[in-house]
Amino acid sequence: MDKYEILKKYFGYDGFRPGQEELIDAILSGRDALGIMPTGAGKSVCYQVPALLLPGITIVISPLISLMKDQVRALNEAGVHAAYINSSLTETQIRRAMELACEGRYKIIYVAPERLQTPLFLHLTERVQISMVTVDEAHCISQWGQDFRPSYLNIVELVSRLPARPVVSAFTATATEEVRQDILCVLGLREPKVLVTGFDRENLYFEVRTGGKDAELLRYVKEHREESGIIYCATRKNVEAVCTALQMEDVPATRYHAGLSAEERRRNQDQFLFDEKPVMVATNAFGMGIDKSNVRYVIHYNMPQSMENYYQEAGRAGRDGARAECILLYSAQDVRINQFLLDEKEIREELTREEAQALRERDAQRLKRMTFYGTTKDCLRAYILNYFGERAPRRCENCSNCLHEFVEEDVTELCRDVVRCIRSMRRGYGAGTVASVLHGSGNAKLKSCGLDRLDCFGSQSGTAEFRIREVIGELLAEGYLAATPDKYALLSLTGSSGELLERQTIMKFSMPKEKKAAASGRRGKGAASELDSAAWQLFERLKALRLRIAGEQKVPPYIVFTDKTLIDMCVRRPASRSEMLAVSGVGEAKFERYGERFLEEIGR
């Protein structure tokens, strides 16, 4: 078979996506390769197709157990024999996998980087032909990457110890130019084919929201109750609080963070993957390698520390290519918390003093760039793409900034009132309290602290509290105010604060008006919003059938068929084997397993 036959037979696709064929051809010709491709662009096909054509075994180094299990499960469903070796297996199971590998049972073996130096694995490398070593999530090998893992350095030693050097391929979704060069250098790639397909995910809508996070979050999730989503929080405490709040509103949500037992994390992850609880509230410990294709939204309850982290996490939405939304709930307090966390971050002992200082400066710069994303009035997509060194149109018309109209407002008097209010307070308070005082809120906390007796109380009664908080955020960004670097973010005046009162400085900020009508066009029935009424009803029936089959096979529904494949079935309405095999994502192995049942349901 050639590469096209492999692609159709096992993966069910008629053609390659941009960049895939170039990398595959390079690998098959014996060249090393580095692919920088966004999440959902099909990186795995770039090494899985040549792995099935090369004579020996392909070793895939992967960072997380969940990633390996997902990939191996999907390959086996597609009719490809694959295995994984990691700490979730017993030594007996690992020995058995090694024996089957030596017998030629597997073409692809996924391995955790920590296992590369074990005697069992080294013994395997001496007994089998290894045609390719693939490094997944390759940014983990760079100490300048956002997720450096020292165990990835074992890969270099592995390649050097093999009897014959194999092709080495590496893939990642997020890597700046500096990280790319580090990957090439550390891995020692030889005359590699380097391909950057572009970082743009056209199906993703980006939005930054300010104001009351809890109310915004609850309203959004309720509006999208039928859809699957991930909500990222910075701390375990926030995960617990947000998950509990959603559950109290009868939202089928679960949680994931390092404070839970391994068994509970596994159970909760499975509930999410199997759509039993389609909303996952988690820290960034969750998600790398999760191949759930029907995640329709990713919400960041707290701002991440870098654009690399944000884009990687946001990119877990819309892996099927259908429309999805990525929303950041921004607040100035998140900036202070992240600054505090970076100050407390432990630096690896093996780094020199100069390297440690450079790393701290790099972290601070990344946080600053992430903060600018939360406050910019320019196109959010262009901001992201420019960050990763890619040129982009000035407007994308698919982000909140492009779909908002901004007007420059004179907020001088509001800014002065903020300064007067903070000056009149006897101790520090957060932005929310200051906004409540200026708005004249009647909550009990203000009365108990005597804040309702301040001269400035209610001086901005005609201004919404969320708008006052937005202005406070702008004042923080401009240096007119400061905040403590902890979770409370207590406000204080700076040397510049007096300018607002003494020099009669005029303050004008760009503030959003109502969204353009075009913004509503992105909403609908999630991935299937383009279907008419009859096709939508069929889509719902096919989803129900998929769920029954997934339960029978004990696999996540998207492993059976993705939403995108079901939508193509609804559009094509296949009535025979040949017509079903023409559906995107239906390969021969999957047709033999499930094809007839779906044909029967379509024909009803």
Side-chain angles (χ1 to χ4, degrees):
M1 288 192 290
D2 63 18
K3 60 187 177 185
Y4 301 108
E5 292 170 321
I6 292 286
L7 184 69
K8 184 60 183 174
K9 178 177 181 178
Y10 294 108
F11 303 100
Y13 300 123
D14 293 317
F16 291 102
R17 297 184 192 179
Q20 288 181 329
E21 193 167 8
E22 292 178 63
L23 288 168
I24 289 169
D25 288 345
I27 291 169
L28 291 176
S29 70
R31 288 182 66 185
D32 289 351
L34 171 60
I36 313 292
M37 309 168 74
T39 303
K43 291 186 291 294
S44 58
V45 165
C46 295
Y47 60 82
Q48 289 170 351
V49 168
L52 297 177
L53 291 168
L54 292 170
I57 291 174
T58 289
I59 300 295
V60 181
I61 291 90
S62 184
L64 289 181
I65 291 173
S66 58
L67 171 62
M68 299 185 211
K69 288 183 175 179
D70 233 25
Q71 294 274 10
V72 169
R73 185 160 44 189
L75 284 169
N76 286 327
E77 280 288 310
V80 176
H81 293 299
Y84 59 80
I85 299 171
N86 56 47
S87 59
S88 71
L89 302 178
T90 65
E91 287 300 308
T92 301
Q93 290 174 318
I94 291 175
R95 287 182 184 278
R96 180 56 180 158
M98 300 290 193
E99 291 171 2
L100 292 173
C102 291
E103 294 170 7
R105 175 69 179 272
Y106 305 122
K107 289 293 291 180
I108 304 175
I109 299 178
Y110 286 77
V111 185
E114 294 79 10
R115 309 293 306 188
L116 297 179
Q117 299 301 314
T118 61
L120 264 179
F121 183 77
L122 291 174
H123 183 57
L124 171 69
T125 63
E126 296 170 355
R127 298 173 60 192
V128 300
Q129 179 185 0
I130 296 176
S131 297
M132 178 165 62
V133 170
T134 294
V135 184
D136 202 8
E137 306 292 348
H139 61 272
C140 293
I141 204 167
S142 170
Q143 69 170 344
W144 305 118
Q146 77 274 17
D147 195 26
F148 173 64
R149 298 182 181 225
S151 58
Y152 258 56
L153 298 176
N154 293 337
I155 299 169
V156 180
E157 187 173 345
L158 168 70
V159 173
S160 68
R161 294 181 61 162
L162 294 176
R165 188 185 186 279
V167 172
V168 180
S169 58
F171 299 89
T172 183
T174 52
T176 60
E177 178 61 30
E178 186 173 36
V179 172
R180 291 176 218 167
Q181 293 303 320
D182 216 17
I183 293 170
L184 293 170
C185 178
V186 176
L187 283 178
L189 299 186
R190 299 180 181 176
E191 299 182 1
K193 170 67 177 179
V194 179
L195 184 70
V196 182
T197 60
F199 292 90
D200 192 13
R201 298 276 305 282
E202 294 182 358
N203 62 311
L204 298 185
Y205 163 83
F206 294 96
E207 181 170 357
V208 175
R209 297 188 183 186
T210 56
K213 291 189 178 189
D214 294 331
E216 285 282 350
L217 178 66
L218 187 57
R219 179 165 57 250
Y220 183 94
V221 174
K222 281 183 162 182
E223 288 175 356
H224 298 76
R225 189 177 287 273
E226 301 300 317
E227 298 175 356
S228 182
I230 302 173
I231 301 164
Y232 280 109
C233 301
T235 65
R236 302 175 190 179
K237 182 180 179 181
N238 281 350
V239 168
E240 294 289 342
V242 169
C243 187
T244 299
L246 292 175
Q247 290 172 342
M248 289 179 66
E249 295 291 333
D250 295 323
V251 174
T254 187
R255 59 192 178 146
Y256 190 105
H257 60 71
L260 304 176
S261 68
E263 173 56 29
E264 185 172 359
R265 290 200 303 272
R266 184 201 61 77
R267 183 173 65 249
N268 293 351
Q269 178 172 296
D270 284 347
Q271 288 179 330
F272 175 68
L273 294 177
F274 283 79
D275 285 335
E276 296 170 19
K277 293 189 176 179
V279 178
M280 171 63 79
V281 186
T283 61
N284 62 6
F286 175 81
M288 184 183 285
I290 296 298
D291 200 22
K292 193 175 195 295
S293 61
N294 66 332
V295 174
R296 298 268 64 85
Y297 62 85
V298 170
I299 298 175
H300 279 81
Y301 185 82
N302 301 110
M303 187 185 77
Q305 294 178 355
S306 70
M307 284 303 306
E308 287 91 342
N309 285 340
Y310 178 71
Y311 201 47
Q312 185 178 69
E313 292 160 11
R316 287 161 192 154
R319 292 179 67 104
D320 55 7
R323 286 195 301 275
E325 300 190 340
C326 308
I327 298 174
L328 170 63
L329 303 180
Y330 173 82
S331 75
Q333 183 177 359
D334 288 337
V335 182
R336 307 299 177 267
I337 292 173
N338 278 322
Q339 286 175 336
F340 175 76
L341 293 174
L342 287 177
D343 289 342
E344 298 296 312
K345 179 180 177 180
E346 292 186 10
I347 300 296
R348 298 186 304 277
E349 293 181 359
E350 67 269 20
L351 295 182
T352 66
R353 185 184 219 173
E354 291 75 16
E355 288 174 332
Q357 181 61 28
L359 196 57
R360 287 194 182 280
E361 291 174 359
R362 193 70 47 83
D363 287 343
Q365 183 63 25
R366 282 178 174 152
L367 177 58
K368 182 182 290 187
R369 295 293 298 276
M370 186 69 233
T371 303
F372 288 163
Y373 176 83
T375 57
T376 184
K377 302 300 187 295
D378 297 328
C379 173
L380 296 176
R381 185 183 310 277
Y383 186 95
I384 293 170
L385 297 180
N386 290 337
Y387 178 86
F388 288 108
E390 185 173 330
R391 299 187 65 178
R394 193 174 64 85
R395 297 177 64 85
C396 72
E397 302 301 338
N398 192 27
C399 74
S400 57
N401 284 359
C402 286
L403 296 174
H404 269 127
E405 288 183 3
F406 288 92
V407 293
E408 195 172 65
E409 291 186 14
D410 187 332
V411 291
T412 303
E413 196 55 39
L414 173 52
C415 291
R416 290 173 181 165
D417 279 348
V418 169
V419 172
R420 293 185 188 113
C421 182
I422 295 172
R423 179 178 286 178
S424 65
M425 289 173 160
R426 294 183 178 179
R427 62 181 181 85
Y429 289 93
T433 301
V434 173
S436 295
V437 169
L438 291 174
H439 180 69
S441 173
N443 67 57
K445 176 186 174 183
L446 300 187
K447 293 179 180 179
S448 66
C449 296
L451 298 178
D452 59 331
R453 296 193 294 273
L454 295 175
D455 290 342
C456 58
F457 183 81
S459 61
Q460 291 287 335
S461 58
T463 307
E465 287 189 44
F466 80 87
R467 182 53 61 91
I468 298 174
R469 287 195 296 270
E470 284 182 344
V471 169
I472 291 173
E474 295 280 0
L475 290 173
L476 283 164
E478 296 288 336
Y480 288 103
L481 298 178
T484 56
D486 54 36
K487 65 180 181 179
Y488 303 106
L490 304 180
L491 298 176
S492 62
L493 303 181
T494 68
S496 302
S497 303
E499 296 178 11
L500 297 178
L501 303 178
E502 298 164 6
R503 297 187 183 180
Q504 298 296 301
T505 303
I506 302 300
M507 302 296 292
K508 291 185 177 182
F509 293 151
S510 293
M511 302 303 236
K513 290 176 65 177
E514 290 298 313
K515 291 181 181 178
K516 299 177 185 176
S520 62
R522 72 177 188 278
R523 298 194 180 276
K525 301 168 183 174
S529 58
E530 66 268 31
L531 300 178
D532 60 25
S533 178
W536 168 254
Q537 292 176 9
L538 174 59
F539 178 67
E540 288 295 299
R541 298 205 323 264
L542 295 182
K543 281 176 64 179
L545 172 59
R546 179 181 65 179
L547 189 60
R548 291 197 299 274
I549 293 174
E552 296 165 7
Q553 300 294 321
K554 294 182 172 53
V555 298
Y558 64 86
I559 292 290
V560 178
F561 287 124
T562 65
D563 281 4
K564 191 172 183 179
T565 296
L566 296 189
I567 291 169
D568 202 28
M569 290 183 192
C570 295
V571 173
R572 294 174 181 265
R573 293 182 180 260
S576 65
R577 182 181 188 276
S578 60
E579 290 178 359
M580 180 63 90
L581 286 173
V583 171
S584 177
V586 180
E588 292 181 10
K590 285 197 174 183
F591 179 84
E592 296 305 321
R593 282 191 175 94
Y594 317 122
E596 292 295 342
R597 294 177 68 176
F598 279 87
L599 283 174
E600 183 180 340
E601 186 65 39
I602 293 168
R604 281 178 52 196

